[in-house]
């Protein structure tokens, strides 16, 4: 049943993306930019409904009161494609720094351009990267929220942390709070796999780390608070969902925590 439900969900997931993008395109491009956020946020909400109804996967968010007003950096753990879109409905006016090639995709790229995402040429140095930072500062100055994954790429649940120093540089240069987010969607929507597993998990939004710390001290604090919350949630999630097949990284981490 898990295989059949996973196949069905994957088919409906991408069909939902295509249909909404086509049907709502006139609305998206005719209304003001911020109003147009309704389309991707509605798509995210509909995916939550589909995942719950087809697969049986649900979630809850703790700590929404920790999200500040105005500009900040939103720094979630990154384990799955799920967390690339799932939390958009709870953010006011977010944006990403993303590889410029995504803006070349017909229709999808136009959506990105409309929302003033910041494209970056990963091979570029010097002036090009300065322009990226200038654009990022300009967007933050309007009260937007930068979504960035501190580890840079998807990591399996329980994997040893590999935080990149780039977020410390952004923290130093942008002078805004950073909101850490711990969660384990990768237990239910594993990276590089088509299987989707039923169950329930929590997303934990942690208190913001205010601007003004030394970058090294900031990075150490970010790792400390995020990984502590991640360990707690890993234990909670596995105990609440004993049926889950765990990746080796999660099994190893649970052994280290003495909780398996």
């Amino acid at each position: 049943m898990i295989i059949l439900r996973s196949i069905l969900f994957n088919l409906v997931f991408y069909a939902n993306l295509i249909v909404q993008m086509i049907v709502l395109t006139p609305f998206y491009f005719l209304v003001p930019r911020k109003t147009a956020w309704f389309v991707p946020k509605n798509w995210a909400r509909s995916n939550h409904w589909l995942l719950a109804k087809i697969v049986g996967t649900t979630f809850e968010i703790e700590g929404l009161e920790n999200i500040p007003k105005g500009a900040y950096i939103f720094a979630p753990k990154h384990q799955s494609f799920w967390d690339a879109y799932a939390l958009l409905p709870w953010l006011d006016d977010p944006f990403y720094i993303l590889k410029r090639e995504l803006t070349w995709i017909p229709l999808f790229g136009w959506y990105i351009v409309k929302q003033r995402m910041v494209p970056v040429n990963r091979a570029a140095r010097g002036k090009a990267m300065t322009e990226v930072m200038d654009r990022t500062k300009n967007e933050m100055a309007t009260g937007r929220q930068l979504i960035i994954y501190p580890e840079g790429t998807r990591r399996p649940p329980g994997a040893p942390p590999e935080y990149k120093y780039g977020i410390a540089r952004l923290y130093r240069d942008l002078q805004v709070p950073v909101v850490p987010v711990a969660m384990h969607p990768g237990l239910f929507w594993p990276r590089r796999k088509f299987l989707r597993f039923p169950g329930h998990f929590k997303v934990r939004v942690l208190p913001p780390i205010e601007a003004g710390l030394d970058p090294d001290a900031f990075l150490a604090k970010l790792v400390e608070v995020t990984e502590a919350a991640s360990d707690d949630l890993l234990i909670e999630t596995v105990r609440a969902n004993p049926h889950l097949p765990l990746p080796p990284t999660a099994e190893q981490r649970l052994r280290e925590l003495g909780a398996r």
Side-chain angles (χ1 to χ4, degrees):
M1 287 300 294
I2 287 177
I3 293 175
L4 292 176
R5 289 186 178 192
S6 298
I7 292 172
L8 177 60
F9 172 77
N10 286 320
L11 291 173
V12 175
F13 174 83
Y14 288 107
N16 183 41
L17 171 63
I18 294 169
V19 170
Q20 289 209 37
M21 189 174 289
I22 293 173
V23 171
L24 296 177
T25 284
F27 170 83
Y28 185 85
F29 287 104
L30 288 174
V31 300
R33 183 196 62 78
K34 192 170 179 180
T35 304
W37 261 119
F38 167 82
V39 176
K41 290 182 180 183
N42 181 68
W43 174 69
R45 292 187 186 97
S46 64
N47 287 331
H48 297 330
W49 185 86
L50 291 171
L51 191 62
K53 295 302 180 181
I54 297 175
V55 181
T57 308
T58 58
F59 70 96
E60 62 183 289
I61 303 178
E62 298 179 342
L64 287 173
E65 69 278 3
N66 291 322
I67 296 180
K69 300 293 184 181
Y72 57 87
I73 297 173
F74 195 68
K77 293 284 284 185
H78 192 23
Q79 298 179 349
S80 165
F81 185 70
W82 182 90
D83 43 75
Y85 70 84
L87 301 180
L88 291 178
W90 290 273
L91 303 180
D92 179 41
D93 189 15
F95 72 103
Y96 295 88
I97 299 173
L98 42 75
K99 56 185 179 181
R100 64 174 181 170
E101 289 79 5
L102 293 175
T103 65
W104 302 343
I105 302 174
L107 194 57
F108 180 78
W110 306 339
Y111 269 66
I112 291 174
V113 171
K114 167 93 175 184
Q115 287 301 335
R116 297 204 311 258
M117 304 298 176
V118 178
V120 57
N121 179 0
R122 293 185 174 182
R125 295 291 185 271
K127 183 179 179 181
M129 297 307 297
T130 299
E131 290 175 355
V132 167
M133 181 54 67
D134 289 343
R135 285 195 58 180
T136 301
K137 288 180 178 179
N138 289 338
E139 296 301 330
M140 298 295 281
T142 66
R144 300 187 71 184
Q145 303 83 46
L146 172 62
I147 301 175
I148 190 165
Y149 303 105
E151 293 177 276
T153 189
R154 289 176 296 174
R155 304 272 294 155
E162 291 187 0
Y163 288 63
K164 310 302 182 186
Y165 200 75
I167 192 170
R169 296 191 183 97
L170 286 168
Y171 170 81
R172 176 197 63 198
D173 294 342
L174 296 174
Q175 289 295 300
V176 295
V178 172
V179 179
V181 183
M183 54 187 175
H184 290 292
L187 293 172
F188 303 84
W189 185 323
R191 63 177 192 156
R192 302 170 188 163
K193 294 183 180 180
F194 83 94
L195 290 176
R196 308 288 178 259
F197 298 104
H200 183 78
F201 67 96
K202 295 179 181 179
V203 175
R204 188 162 293 164
V205 181
L206 305 174
I209 302 174
E210 297 298 334
L213 293 178
D214 172 81
D216 291 333
F218 155 75
L219 187 60
K221 184 172 183 179
L222 176 66
V223 174
E224 177 186 2
V225 299
T226 306
E227 292 305 309
S230 293
D231 284 343
D232 290 343
L233 280 180
L234 181 61
I235 295 170
E236 288 181 30
T237 305
V238 171
R239 286 177 176 172
N241 301 273
H243 63 283
L244 282 175
L246 300 182
T249 50
E251 291 277 13
Q252 176 62 30
R253 186 58 184 157
L254 288 168
R255 284 194 292 269
E256 292 170 356
L257 295 169
R260 187 59 168 155

